[in-house]
Amino acid sequence: MRKGFSLITAIIIMMAVSVLMTMMISLSSVTVKSTMDIYFKEQAQLLARSAVEYAVLATSGHDNRQSCVEHVNVLYPSVDNPTHEMNVTLWYLGNGIVNCNTVLDNNVSTDDSNLTAIVDVVVNVLENNNTGITEPIRIHKRTIQKL
């Protein structure tokens, strides 16, 4: 009778340990996925900020009286192996802007407000083998910048 009781006790203990091990493994895989999602989201937020600065840089090196920079598209970190896609659209406010499809107001009367842009940035984390994410991550940022 004692041998049978010891056998049943050993099986119950082994079952309890296996259930705990299964729970630990599933929890660790959820933690890894959560960490990856947080990493890519934080990186997308930083890239959105950088995309605004890059768009302002692109417009400062461009003659906005002749034509204007309307869209800036960037793949990060490289074109061959991207993890993030940044799409920037610029909407202009100002006097004397010609040959531009994205002018919101062309009747600005003060020099201080002339040549201002609303910079609209959308950063998408690409769902490919480089990232390993399963849910889409999309960051949208809109700012107004004096050019």
Side-chain angles (χ1 to χ4, degrees):
M1 180 106 162
R2 291 184 93 181
K3 288 185 181 186
F5 181 72
S6 297
L7 182 63
I8 292 174
T9 305
I11 291 173
I12 290 173
I13 290 173
M14 288 177 65
M15 292 295 289
V17 168
S18 67
V19 167
L20 287 174
M21 293 296 283
T22 305
M23 288 173 49
M24 286 179 17
I25 289 172
S26 67
L27 182 62
S28 68
S29 67
V30 168
T31 304
V32 169
K33 185 189 175 333
S34 173
T35 303
M36 285 178 52
D37 287 349
I38 290 170
Y39 171 75
F40 283 118
K41 181 180 177 191
E42 291 295 325
Q43 194 172 26
Q45 288 174 342
L46 290 172
L47 287 171
R49 185 182 290 174
S50 297
V52 170
E53 294 172 6
Y54 182 71
V56 170
L57 178 67
T59 58
S60 67
H62 187 77
D63 185 12
N64 291 319
R65 303 291 179 200
Q66 302 281 331
S67 65
C68 60
V69 177
E70 296 178 358
H71 300 284
V72 177
N73 298 320
V74 180
L75 293 174
Y76 177 83
S78 67
V79 177
D80 299 331
N81 200 13
T83 58
H84 294 74
E85 177 186 30
M86 295 171 279
N87 298 315
V88 182
T89 304
L90 293 117
W91 300 91
Y92 291 93
L93 303 164
N95 228 348
I97 301 172
V98 294
N99 298 328
C100 186
N101 295 326
T102 58
V103 176
L104 292 177
D105 187 14
N106 208 4
N107 297 320
V108 177
S109 59
T110 63
D111 289 336
D112 292 337
S113 299
N114 196 23
L115 203 55
T116 303
I118 296 174
V119 183
D120 192 30
V121 179
V122 177
V123 179
N124 291 312
V125 178
L126 301 175
E127 297 179 40
N128 57 19
N129 294 334
N130 298 333
T131 58
I133 64 168
T134 55
E135 294 92 20
I137 298 174
R138 181 182 175 114
I139 302 295
H140 183 236
K141 182 175 183 168
R142 184 173 291 145
T143 63
I144 187 164
Q145 298 288 325
K146 178 76 175 109
L147 303 176

